[in-house]
Amino acid sequence: MKRIAGWMLAAVLLLSAGCGAQRNGGGAETAEVALGTLYAAMAESCGWDEDYMTDVEGDLLEDYYPGLGAIPAEQLLAKIPAMSSDVNEIVLIQCGTGEDAKSAADILQARIDSQVEGGAWYPETLEAWENAKVLRQGETYVALIASGAFQEELEEQFQMQFS
């Protein structure tokens, strides 16, 4: 009887360990993260109403992040201010593979580099882009966070989703 109970407990533990998680590069598990929910929490903490940010899609996505739309993504969310000179640009993506995530990170870093090298005209916007970061978590999650006023807070919110 003890042997059967032991096997049943082992099976339950094995099944529960595999549900709703993925392995990251270091072998540790990374929980599935709903990027829309994460963005909503970010926007709320920054005090952005629903009209402040707009989606970056279609031709605009290709203009800002050439090649990003061609990467197979399980989740992709790209937001910029609808009408503002403030730097607040957020891209959250979950790719299907680690290789795709690396490609996405390279594309997002190219966006930062282009802004630092002349795309950002004003001293305040240049400083914000110089502080912008591309972050990776697990094998497949990538974020671009560029925010003059909320950079550290948004980075922390992204990182906390995976701890």
Side-chain angles (χ1 to χ4, degrees):
M1 186 67 171
K2 284 184 179 179
R3 178 178 273 184
I4 292 172
W7 282 108
M8 288 177 63
L9 179 60
V12 168
L13 290 173
L14 187 63
L15 287 172
S16 65
C19 294
Q22 66 183 33
R23 297 262 177 209
N24 71 17
E29 292 193 9
T30 300
E32 287 288 321
V33 173
L35 298 180
T37 303
L38 171 57
Y39 170 76
M42 290 172 151
E44 183 178 338
S45 72
C46 294
W48 301 333
D49 66 30
E50 62 185 51
D51 296 327
Y52 176 70
M53 298 285 264
T54 189
D55 293 320
V56 181
E57 302 172 312
D59 290 340
L60 188 59
L61 184 73
E62 186 62 24
D63 289 345
Y64 276 39
Y65 321 104
L68 189 65
I71 294 175
E74 294 181 24
Q75 301 179 74
L76 171 60
L77 186 134
K79 299 276 192 176
I80 59 172
M83 298 268 302
S84 176
S85 62
D86 293 338
V87 175
N88 286 308
E89 192 165 315
I90 297 176
V91 178
L92 305 171
I93 184 169
Q94 179 188 14
C95 299
T97 67
E99 185 176 310
D100 288 340
K102 182 186 179 327
S103 296
D106 291 345
I107 290 167
L108 297 175
Q109 186 61 53
R111 168 71 175 161
I112 293 171
D113 295 344
S114 73
Q115 293 300 301
V116 169
E117 294 168 4
W121 295 349
Y122 303 107
E124 299 84 18
T125 58
L126 179 58
E127 183 180 347
W129 279 105
E130 287 172 339
N131 293 324
K133 290 196 179 126
V134 173
L135 306 170
R136 283 194 63 184
Q137 278 291 340
E139 282 289 317
T140 60
Y141 289 93
V142 182
L144 176 147
I145 299 174
S147 178
F150 303 104
Q151 184 70 35
E152 290 178 10
E153 181 179 340
L154 294 172
E155 286 178 33
E156 186 176 308
Q157 283 184 288
F158 177 76
Q159 302 286 19
M160 298 268 305
Q161 294 300 305
F162 301 94
S163 56

